[in-house]
Structure formats: C-alpha cells, structure tokens
Amino acid sequence: MTKFIPYILKSLWRHRARTLLTVSGTAVALLVFCFIGAVQQGLLALTSDEDSGRTLIVFQENRFCPQSSRMPQDYQRTIAKMPGVKDVIPIKVFTNNCRASLDAIVFQGMPPEKLKAWRDINLQSGDMSSFASQEDAALVGIDVATRRDLSVGDKFTIGDISVVVRGVFQSATAAENNLIFTQLEFLQRARGANDVGTVTQLEVHLNDTADPDALAKQIDEEFRTGPVGTTTRTKGMFQADTLADLAELIGFVHWLGYACVGLVLSLVATTTVMSVQDRIKEHAVLQTLGLRPLRVFSLVIIESFLLSTIGGILGVVGSTLLLSSAGMSIAAEGVTIAFEPSLALATQGIVVAIAVGLLAGLAPGWQASRAEIVPALSHA
Amino acid sequence: MSLVEVINVTKEYANGEESIRPLDEVSLSVEEGDFVSLMGASGSGKSTLLNLIAGIDLVTSGEIVVADTDITQLSRGKLADWRARHIGYIFQTHNLIPVLTAYENVELPLLLLPMSGAERRKRVEIAMAAVDLTSRASHYPRQMSGGQEQRVGIARAIVSNPTLVVADEPTGSLDDETTEQILQLLERVNNELGMTLLMVTHDADAGQRARRKIRLERGRLMENGKELHTAKIRTA
C-alpha cells in the first residue's frame, strides 16, 4: 500500500479546505480531551500517590477552609511522641480564596528545616540559605511564578501579605508547583495578627510499620478533651474530602472527554463519507485497473486514519504546550489540583486519535469496497 | 484455443419490476492479435458484453474464458488480480485520476504488479512515447485536451502489456480529427504492439477500422449477417 501513499495524500489535498477543517476540528477536540485528562490526572495524583496514604493531616475538627482551622502548635510535640510517628510538620496555610478558583494563591508556612527534609523540591533559581535567613522570604512554585511572572528578588503582595521571592522551585509533586512556601512564623504574624503558637494543620509522617487509620484515631482521641478537637485523615483522604465538590464536577466533566472523542469520530467519518461519495467513480476506475476491494477499503481507512491522527497529534502537541507553559491549576480551600501534561496522557490522546480514525473509516471504506464497478462507472 | 471465448452467456438484470436481458445465450471467440469491433444500437448490450469480458461485471449464466482462465469462477479479489495482469481498459470518458499527473496515471496499473521502480519507469516512458505524450508527462488531466486525455488513457491501458485491451466507445466524446488520431493509435496498438483489441462503438466508420466487425442485435451476436454460435460447451 505504500506505493499508493502519494495518491492518498493528493486525494486529501484535493479538498484542502475540507481536510484542513477536519484536521483542525480534530485537533481542537483532542486538545480539550487532553486538557480534561490533565485535570483528572491531577486529581488522581493528589489522592492516590504513595505519600498520600502514608502521611496524616491533622486539621481542626469541623473546619474546612484553612483560614478557620487554628490548632495549638504544641500538639506537634504530643503527636511526635506517639509510636509509629517519624516526624510532624506544623503548617500555617493562607489562601486568598477559599472557594474554587483558577488563580488561587496558597501560602504554606513551615520551618525551613522541615521544608528541606520533607518537600521534594528542586530550586530552579535562588537559594535556600537566603530563604532561611530572611523573615519575609518566599519560595515560589514554578507554576505560580509562570502565572504571575515572578522571579527571584521580586516583591509579591497579595491581600495583606507581602513576600520577597528568594527562590523558584519545581516540585516532584505537581500540585506543589502552585504553592508559595514561607517561614512558619512569618505567616503566623502576617496581616498584623499574632497567631504564633497556632497552626492550620499538622502533617504527620509515619514510619513503615505504623497503621495510618489507627494512628489517626489515636490522635483524635488524644485531643478530644483538649482545647481544640481534631480531625485526622490520611493526606489523600484529606485532599479528597477538601476537593469533594470539585471532584464531583471533574467526574462529570470526563463525559465531555468522551463527547470530544464522539465529535472526532463524527467529524472524520463525515469527511471520509463525503470523500468516498465524491469518488465513487474514481474507486470504480481503480477497481477496473485491478485494485482489489480490500485495497480500496485500505485506501479509505488510511485516509481517515491520516485525518484523525494528524489532527490528534496537533491537538496533543497543542495541549502539551498549553499545559506546560501556562502553569494552570484549580484550588479550593487551600488544596490545588495541577493541570500537568504527561507522556501517558499524550500517548492516550494519540492512541484515541488513531483508533477513532480507523473506526471512522470502517463504514465508508466498506461502502467504497463493495460498490459494483459498472454502476459506479456511470456515476456522475 | 482462442484467446477469448464467450460461451452461452446470458446477462439479466432487474430495472424496477422489469427484467432486462441484454445478452441471451451469446457466444463469441476472439483470436490472439485480433482487432474486433462490437457495434450495435444504444442499449443493445455491447458495453455489457465488453464489461463481462473485462471482468468488471458478472454473468447471469454461461462462461467467459480468457487466456485459459474461466473468469466467471473467480472471486472478486482474484478477479481484480486477474484484471491487473490481463486487461487494459480504455474508457469513453477517459476516467483519468484528476489528482495524478499523466505519468502517474499511466503508472497506476503497474503499482499493482510486482516489479522494480526502474522497470516501472521504463515501461511508463515507453507507453508515454507510444502515445506521443512524453512532453506532457507532468501535466494534470485538467491541463490537457480531450484527445490528449484519451491518449493517456490508452497509455494506461497498454502499459502493463495486457493480454487483452478493451475499449468502450473510445472516440465517443471526441471531435472528428481527434477520433481519427485515436483510431490510428488503436490500430498501431494492434498492429505494432500485437495486442488483442476489442472495441465497442456505435460509430460505423470507427467500427470499420477493425479486422472483425460484430453486431449485437436483440441480444444476439451477428458477424457477416450470420449469428455466431458456440464452438463448444465447456460446462458439464
């Protein structure tokens, strides 16, 4: 069939406006498909990675927005003594918007040494020592830095909080690229408040033998009679609970992904059917020259495959560029979902485009290959 | 044995509720190297017979043997392979592929045969030279006159050196001068290249250029005023 590739390409180019419209339509649909996939992937990463099951988040009981959770920082010492606990990180969280937002700014204040020990971040610019030595210093996640055009040395103000960027980091955990890390005490004193001694949440790291559920229960039991009650969950469950509304919405949005696939199928199939109907006589001539019906079928399938695959590749490349350059995310109540491109997502997009292309060509290919030659030769 | 043997062939098809039988138990033999014209009134079934011999239509009953192959027994796929190897078809309306150049149109049948690229190029160049269109090789059908298009169609039909060349009203859409050029070309194909030629035409003058003139009248084949009969019955 390779000998017929020039003929196939010329046939596609014959109706170039139709071909280009189909390819661009396919590209847009695949771009949306990959974008939706990235959102789902971001949510899945938050709730299912290994760390999310082996780390506990202690939050004030019956509180959801980080602004309203205020726990005594000395709970840290009590928890640290419990068997199975490797380390406890006190974290103060500030966000400019507790509701779902595409541009929420989330600050996490924690002791620099804990940050170094427990966050898998790689500084793209700036340095850790200047962050540790300056009270209002901040390390900015690369996605926030991209969105807000921030670089080392910039002063960044949001609401009543002003920080100086001392580093831009890339984290192994995509969602963290949307955070701004500060020192704990800075955030406790921010906005003229004196919240020293209180934290938003405690992040409890367990050793390998600890049972997360049992320990969570033990922590909540311990503070049941304390000044502030706690709700302790694994990090994955905490994030899932926090993002429950968004997760429901994202769960619904995945149907839009399927709709995109249906759209590509319909678009490519329509174009291929039109192309076949335009060339009923031409296919009959090819069969008269000796082209087997199966080869006519293959010609049509390859045409629809090319339409869909070229569009698919453009859509996947477009979505990858968009997702990697725009640093997009959605946050709710201080937890962010990062929209990140991935090889798996790109592969999935291209596989879908190929499969849809092959599927779209089946019916018109069959029609072209089964046409009776003599009546088809009389076709106008 | 003859190159082409049409034995008791009947072709019947339905046109709404009406049953039409353009060919009724017709028989015909064509020898290798013959130039046969098949004439008759419009709708007499001459193109139907040509299409049956070319293997692009199916008989209702009877046999058609071309170069020792009973083509009525072949599957669609095998019939296509057989056409690629044995049949060169010249259409009335040229039927060139519009997106391909003259060269590519002529090359098309060779893409279906096992041969090297060099061999293919050589054969296309010979065929283009035979129809005197070497200088038009890179032209598209829309850039050529009707006569030139038909010459490309003839080159495409002969390029694979087929067992039989069939032509369905090859001059039907051409003016007198071009008709004469095409007929001369077909005579050369028969005389100089030695190819067997079966031509359907309703033009009596064109039909006279063939060595054998056969008429199809009311479903019967007539030659020199006599009905043609089967030489032998192959079926058991």
Side-chain angles (χ1 to χ4, degrees):
Chain A
M1 284 306 290
T2 51
K3 291 178 195 168
F4 283 89
I5 295 294
Y7 165 68
I8 293 168
L9 294 177
K10 285 183 169 189
S11 296
L12 287 172
W13 195 240
R14 173 173 7 192
H15 294 288
R16 62 204 73 169
R18 189 168 73 190
T19 298
L20 291 175
L21 283 171
T22 306
V23 167
S24 58
T26 305
V28 170
L30 260 294
L31 187 145
V32 175
F33 176 84
C34 288
F35 196 87
I36 291 168
V39 177
Q40 289 180 294
Q41 198 174 261
L43 178 65
L44 195 67
L46 277 182
T47 55
S48 65
D49 70 6
E50 194 184 345
D51 179 50
S52 64
R54 300 294 308 164
T55 304
L56 298 176
I57 299 292
V58 185
F59 213 72
Q60 185 175 348
E61 192 177 27
N62 300 324
R63 295 290 194 278
F64 301 98
C65 181
Q67 245 77 315
S68 61
S69 174
R70 293 157 63 89
M71 293 187 302
Q73 190 176 339
D74 65 4
Y75 279 11
Q76 175 192 359
R77 280 202 299 274
T78 311
I79 296 170
K81 287 175 192 159
M82 291 179 177
V85 173
K86 198 188 280 180
D87 199 2
V88 182
I89 311 173
I91 300 173
K92 184 77 177 173
V93 178
F94 170 78
T95 176
N96 65 333
N97 190 349
C98 250
R99 295 178 185 172
S101 167
L102 288 169
D103 190 26
I105 300 294
V106 181
F107 290 89
Q108 284 197 358
M110 65 178 78
E113 68 280 5
K114 300 276 186 189
L115 177 66
K116 257 195 266 184
W118 289 105
R119 292 293 184 265
D120 187 5
I121 60 173
N122 180 21
L123 283 181
Q124 307 288 296
S125 57
D127 63 279
M128 203 69 178
S129 56
S130 56
F131 168 71
S133 60
Q134 187 178 338
E135 193 187 326
D136 62 350
L139 296 180
V140 179
I142 193 159
D143 287 347
V144 185
T146 305
R147 272 203 322 267
R148 295 282 180 145
D149 195 23
L150 297 175
S151 54
V152 173
D154 288 350
K155 189 166 184 183
F156 174 57
T157 303
I158 187 123
D160 299 327
I161 297 182
S162 289
V163 292
V164 177
V165 178
R166 285 297 167 212
V168 174
F169 68 85
Q170 170 113 43
S171 171
T173 307
E176 284 181 352
N177 290 324
N178 291 287
L179 297 180
I180 297 176
F181 292 124
T182 66
Q183 295 194 32
L184 175 62
E185 201 173 324
F186 168 76
L187 219 50
Q188 287 171 325
R189 291 186 190 280
R191 298 183 299 159
N194 186 2
D195 283 341
V196 175
T198 67
V199 293
T200 307
Q201 63 197 49
L202 293 161
E203 189 175 292
V204 183
H205 291 269
L206 310 180
N207 60 34
D208 294 342
T209 55
D211 175 359
D213 293 334
L215 202 56
K217 201 175 280 182
Q218 187 186 343
I219 291 169
D220 290 343
E221 197 60 40
E222 175 71 31
F223 300 121
R224 184 179 298 280
T225 54
V228 175
T230 61
T231 300
T232 306
R233 290 157 287 186
T234 60
K235 192 175 181 181
M237 197 178 291
F238 167 76
Q239 289 173 330
D241 287 350
T242 307
L243 296 170
D245 292 346
L246 266 184
E248 203 170 313
L249 192 64
I250 291 168
F252 171 76
V253 164
H254 90 279
W255 290 105
L256 288 182
Y258 293 138
C260 288
V261 176
L263 183 71
V264 174
L265 182 64
S266 153
L267 191 63
V268 177
T270 303
T271 301
T272 311
V273 164
M274 287 168 74
S275 169
V276 164
Q277 286 178 349
D278 284 350
R279 290 187 290 147
I280 289 173
K281 188 174 186 177
E282 192 172 304
H283 285 142
V285 170
L286 291 174
Q287 289 206 57
T288 302
L289 298 180
L291 214 72
R292 277 175 163 244
L294 188 62
R295 279 199 165 177
V296 174
F297 179 78
S298 305
L299 288 180
V300 176
I301 289 278
I302 292 171
E303 270 187 40
S304 69
F305 161 82
L306 285 176
L307 283 173
S308 181
T309 306
I310 293 169
I313 289 171
L314 290 176
V316 167
V317 168
S319 70
T320 303
L321 290 176
L322 182 69
L323 289 167
S324 55
S325 63
M328 284 185 278
S329 67
I330 188 165
E333 294 172 359
V335 177
T336 61
I337 302 172
F339 308 162
E340 293 280 314
S342 72
L343 184 61
L345 195 60
T347 308
Q348 191 186 356
I350 289 171
V351 167
V352 163
I354 289 172
V356 166
L358 296 176
L359 200 61
L362 283 181
W366 178 257
Q367 183 194 7
S369 68
R370 301 311 297 173
E372 295 293 332
I373 297 175
V374 175
L377 284 173
S378 318
H379 200 270
Chain B
M1 184 168 178
S2 304
L3 181 71
V4 179
E5 286 204 55
V6 177
I7 305 162
N8 295 337
V9 164
T10 297
K11 177 66 182 177
E12 199 172 73
Y13 54 86
N15 185 9
E17 289 184 5
E18 190 186 2
S19 177
I20 295 173
R21 183 180 285 208
L23 301 174
D24 188 9
E25 299 258 323
V26 299
S27 297
L28 167 70
S29 294
V30 178
E31 299 300 323
E32 191 169 354
D34 254 355
F35 181 3
V36 181
S37 67
L38 192 56
M39 292 176 286
S42 290
S44 60
K46 53 190 188 299
S47 289
T48 303
L49 179 58
L50 186 89
N51 290 337
L52 292 172
I53 294 170
I56 61 171
D57 201 358
L58 301 175
V59 299
T60 305
S61 66
E63 289 175 39
I64 296 174
V65 180
V66 183
D68 294 330
T69 302
D70 181 356
I71 63 170
T72 60
Q73 301 301 311
L74 299 177
S75 65
R76 282 191 72 169
K78 285 195 171 152
L79 198 54
D81 292 343
W82 176 84
R83 282 195 301 271
R85 275 183 277 114
H86 294 286
I87 297 293
Y89 201 113
I90 302 167
F91 299 92
Q92 178 182 355
T93 50
H94 332 308
N95 284 341
L96 302 181
I97 306 296
V99 292
L100 300 181
T101 62
Y103 183 98
E104 289 166 334
N105 266 287
V106 175
E107 187 187 28
L108 210 46
L110 300 182
L111 300 179
L112 302 167
L113 299 174
M115 69 177 64
S116 66
E119 172 69 11
R120 214 162 50 227
R121 274 192 296 280
K122 191 174 133 197
R123 287 218 202 180
V124 175
E125 280 161 15
I126 290 170
M128 294 294 287
V131 298
D132 198 21
L133 274 181
T134 305
S135 62
R136 295 276 181 166
S138 61
H139 287 217
Y140 287 91
R142 65 176 180 278
Q143 298 168 319
M144 291 187 282
S145 67
Q148 287 170 333
E149 280 193 77
Q150 190 58 297
R151 279 150 67 192
V152 174
I154 292 170
R156 182 176 65 182
I158 62 173
V159 71
S160 58
N161 196 21
T163 308
L164 176 67
V165 175
V166 297
D168 187 7
E169 304 272 13
T171 58
S173 59
L174 303 175
D175 59 44
D176 290 349
E177 191 182 337
T178 315
T179 295
E180 179 55 31
Q181 288 171 5
I182 294 299
L183 288 172
Q184 283 177 11
L185 187 53
L186 291 175
E187 283 173 335
R188 279 180 51 211
V189 165
N190 178 241
N191 293 330
E192 294 175 20
L193 302 178
M195 290 185 182
T196 309
L197 198 59
L198 179 58
M199 175 177 73
V200 160
T201 181
H202 66 274
D203 177 355
D205 291 340
Q208 292 307 315
R209 304 289 281 266
R211 275 200 290 278
R212 284 181 69 193
K213 296 100 186 164
I214 296 171
R215 290 193 67 80
L216 189 56
E217 294 173 359
R218 292 184 295 279
R220 300 279 167 184
L221 285 172
M222 313 289 287
E223 187 173 20
N224 300 325
K226 293 178 186 169
E227 186 178 349
L228 291 175
H229 290 287
T230 316
K232 56 180 177 176
I233 304 295
R234 288 168 58 95
T235 44

